[in-house]
């Protein structure tokens, strides 16, 4: 396939092929992917991981490799030819395709989706006990997200109603991220909420945007408390969790449904290991499991400016972008759309272990800028 293009634009830059085969991620996967699949195959019935998992990994090994296919670009000005390898277009694993999707998605949101109004980011992190069942069931996770967005919208309507804006419509864009910086499985929500409401204009004219009054610490505390209670009640009604009260101390422990994952046991085991922090997702003893406490006297706790925690739910709402800050909006969209990790954070050490560098140190006593894990243990986890 041949296409006409200018390889050397007026800026002086020229195309240079990226070399994925030199990255640690590619080398690890090339060497251990087949072993990984064998280790995660049920010997009794031959059952293996779902095809969407294995297909994504195999496609990654062909991303950017000329032997897997390429397009030939011809510059009509300088008559130079360049071979551009096909990409895998992966959605959840490939750092290169994830970065490309991040940039394209951010521009689409800024230019075609988000109006030029103030935007506030709400980040909700879920309790440890809920991460596995919600990560395993995407539809259930979507329903939990709807509850949270509805809770945030109710707070905006209440604040604007106090100023005489009775009928208004909210707007939000949400990205569900499924991993922490240490690659532990942790579904959490990044919500870009329009920081106000659209209400009908005079005589039924075009809707007019009304900025919300400043968000207070009390608002954040109220949102995280109400959202947490609603989510727990919903999951209890669905039979996903059971709330067991310890006699005398009022502590309620969440017990998940043991039948979750029976239809796909291998994927369930893999998700459970990644959630718990088994290799290669970080030391399992890093942090003790979170107990969800629903004591009637318990109240949400402030964890910083416009940040609060209640019953294991953590809400951060400090980040805000002004209506005229287009660059800030683009950067915020890139942040919520970023891939799980970058190639330069993964290194192969001399002893064969792999080191994953964190964006920031852990906050507890086990704090570190990086963690190393054995490839053999990573495959068998």
């Amino acid at each position: 396939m041949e296409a006409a293009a200018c390889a050397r634009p007026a800026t002086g830059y020229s195309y240079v092929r990226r070399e994925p085969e030199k990255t640690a991620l590619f080398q690890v996967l090339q060497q251990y992917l087949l072993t990984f699949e064998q280790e995660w195959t049920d010997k009794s019935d031959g059952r293996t991981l779902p095809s969407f998992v294995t297909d994504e990994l195999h496609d990654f090994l062909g991303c950017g490799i000329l032997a897997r296919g390429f397009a030939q670009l011809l510059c009509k000005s300088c008559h130079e030819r360049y071979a551009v390898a096909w990409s895998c277009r992966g959605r959840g694993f490939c750092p290169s395709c994830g970065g490309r999707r991040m940039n394209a998605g951010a521009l689409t949101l800024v230019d075609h989706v988000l109006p030029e109004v103030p935007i506030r980011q709400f980040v909700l992190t879920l309790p440890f006990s809920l991460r596995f069942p919600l990560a395993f069931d995407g539809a259930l996770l979507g329903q939990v997200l709807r509850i949270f967005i509805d809770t945030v919208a109710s707070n905006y309507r209440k604040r604007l109603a106090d100023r005489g804006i009775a009928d208004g419509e909210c707007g939000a864009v949400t990205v569900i991220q499924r991993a922490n910086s240490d690659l532990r499985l942790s579904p959490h929500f990044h919500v870009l909420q329009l920081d106000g409401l659209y209400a009908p204009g005079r005589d039924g004219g075009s809707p007019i945007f009304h900025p919300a009054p400043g968000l207070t610490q009390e608002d954040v505390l109220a949102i995280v408390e109400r959202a947490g209670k609603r989510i727990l009640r919903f999951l209890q009604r669905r039979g996903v969790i059971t709330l067991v009260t310890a006699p005398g101390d009022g502590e309620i422990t969440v017990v998940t449904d043991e039948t979750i994952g029976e239809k796909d046991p291998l994927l369930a085991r893999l998700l459970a290991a990644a959630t718990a922090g088994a290799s290669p997702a970080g030391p399992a003893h890093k942090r003790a499991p979170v107990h969800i406490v629903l004591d009637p006297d318990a109240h949400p706790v402030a964890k910083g400016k416009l940040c609060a925690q209640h019953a294991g739910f953590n809400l951060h709402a400090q980040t805000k972008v002004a209506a005229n800050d287009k660059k800030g909006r683009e950067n915020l969209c890139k942040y919520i759309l970023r891939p799980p990790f970058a190639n330069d954070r993964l290194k192969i050490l001399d002893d064969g272990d792999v080191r994953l560098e964190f964006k920031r140190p852990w906050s507890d006593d086990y704090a570190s800028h990086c963690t190393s894990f054995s490839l053999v243990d990573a495959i068998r986890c």
Side-chain angles (χ1 to χ4, degrees):
M1 179 178 180
E2 185 173 286
C6 182
R8 290 182 178 174
T11 59
Y13 293 105
S14 60
Y15 170 75
V16 177
R17 186 183 82 86
R18 64 184 180 91
E19 299 176 312
E21 65 275 11
K22 294 184 178 181
T23 64
L25 181 61
F26 185 95
Q27 294 172 14
V28 169
L29 213 61
Q30 185 181 46
Q31 184 173 358
Y32 290 98
L33 178 55
L34 293 181
T35 306
F36 171 79
E37 291 180 310
Q38 292 172 1
E39 290 286 343
W40 285 91
T41 298
D42 192 327
K43 303 297 191 298
S44 61
D45 58 7
R47 181 183 296 176
T48 186
L49 294 171
S51 59
F52 72 83
V53 175
T54 55
D55 289 349
E56 181 105 358
L57 298 178
H58 282 281
D59 290 344
F60 168 75
L61 290 177
C63 185
I65 304 301
L66 293 173
R68 298 290 188 93
F70 60 90
Q72 187 177 144
L73 301 183
L74 170 66
C75 179
K76 289 185 176 180
S77 300
C78 62
H79 304 291
E80 291 195 40
R81 296 177 182 270
Y82 289 86
V84 180
W86 300 128
S87 61
C88 67
R89 299 184 180 181
R91 300 186 65 88
F93 185 77
C94 177
S96 175
C97 292
R100 188 181 301 112
R101 193 181 301 276
M102 172 191 69
N103 290 315
L107 291 177
T108 298
L109 288 177
V110 171
D111 293 338
H112 304 292
V113 178
L114 296 173
E116 294 184 357
V117 299
I119 294 175
R120 183 175 297 277
Q121 178 185 217
F122 289 84
V123 182
L124 181 69
T125 304
L126 302 171
F128 181 89
S129 304
L130 302 182
R131 293 176 187 178
F132 166 70
L134 294 180
F136 187 81
D137 190 334
L140 188 67
L141 182 63
Q143 292 173 306
V144 169
L145 170 61
R146 183 177 295 274
I147 293 173
F148 173 63
I149 291 179
D150 179 70
T151 304
V152 174
S154 296
N155 177 269
Y156 272 87
R157 293 191 184 98
K158 179 180 181 300
R159 285 188 285 147
L160 268 298
D162 295 340
R163 294 197 170 187
I165 310 298
D167 299 321
E169 296 293 335
C170 298
V173 172
T174 303
V175 172
I176 301 176
Q177 294 189 0
R178 293 177 60 88
N180 292 333
S181 63
D182 60 356
L183 298 188
R184 288 186 307 154
L185 180 62
S186 176
H188 55 284
F189 307 134
H190 287 257
V191 180
L192 300 187
Q193 178 78 35
L194 305 188
D195 203 28
L197 298 177
Y198 278 97
R202 294 181 179 179
D203 301 325
S206 299
I208 299 175
F209 183 78
H210 298 269
L215 191 72
T216 65
Q217 189 71 39
E218 289 71 23
D219 291 321
V220 177
L221 293 170
I223 291 173
V224 71
E225 181 178 20
R226 185 162 185 258
K229 290 180 178 179
R230 292 183 63 192
I231 291 171
L232 290 175
R233 286 198 301 265
F234 166 75
L235 295 176
Q236 188 177 21
R237 290 196 304 269
R238 291 290 301 269
V240 177
I241 62 174
T242 302
L243 303 181
V244 180
T245 305
D249 58 10
E251 183 175 286
I252 300 178
T253 303
V254 171
V255 180
T256 57
D257 183 4
E258 294 183 356
T259 64
I260 293 178
E262 286 186 348
K263 295 182 178 179
D264 210 334
L266 294 180
L267 179 62
R269 283 173 50 203
L270 189 61
L271 292 177
T275 304
S279 294
H285 57 276
K286 173 184 177 288
R287 187 174 288 114
V290 176
H291 286 175
I292 296 181
V293 180
L294 296 181
D295 191 320
D297 297 327
H299 299 284
V301 179
K303 305 296 287 186
K305 184 178 180 181
L306 298 184
C307 181
Q309 182 172 313
H310 180 69
F313 295 87
N314 187 282
L315 178 62
H316 186 282
Q318 184 179 1
T319 303
K320 179 182 176 180
V321 178
N324 59 352
D325 187 1
K326 184 175 181 179
K327 187 62 178 178
R329 294 144 64 84
E330 181 180 339
N331 290 338
L332 184 57
C333 291
K334 287 182 179 179
Y335 172 74
I336 69 172
L337 291 169
R338 69 193 186 280
F341 69 98
N343 273 320
D344 56 4
R345 290 179 52 205
L346 203 65
K347 309 290 183 183
I348 299 179
L349 305 179
D350 294 338
D351 59 3
D353 285 356
V354 175
R355 182 178 68 187
L356 174 67
E357 297 178 351
F358 300 155
K359 293 186 296 183
R360 61 181 64 88
W362 276 331
S363 58
D364 58 6
D365 294 336
Y366 201 81
S368 174
H369 288 280
C370 61
T371 187
S372 302
F373 52 88
S374 166
L375 291 176
V376 176
D377 292 339
I379 292 170
R380 294 177 178 173
C381 71

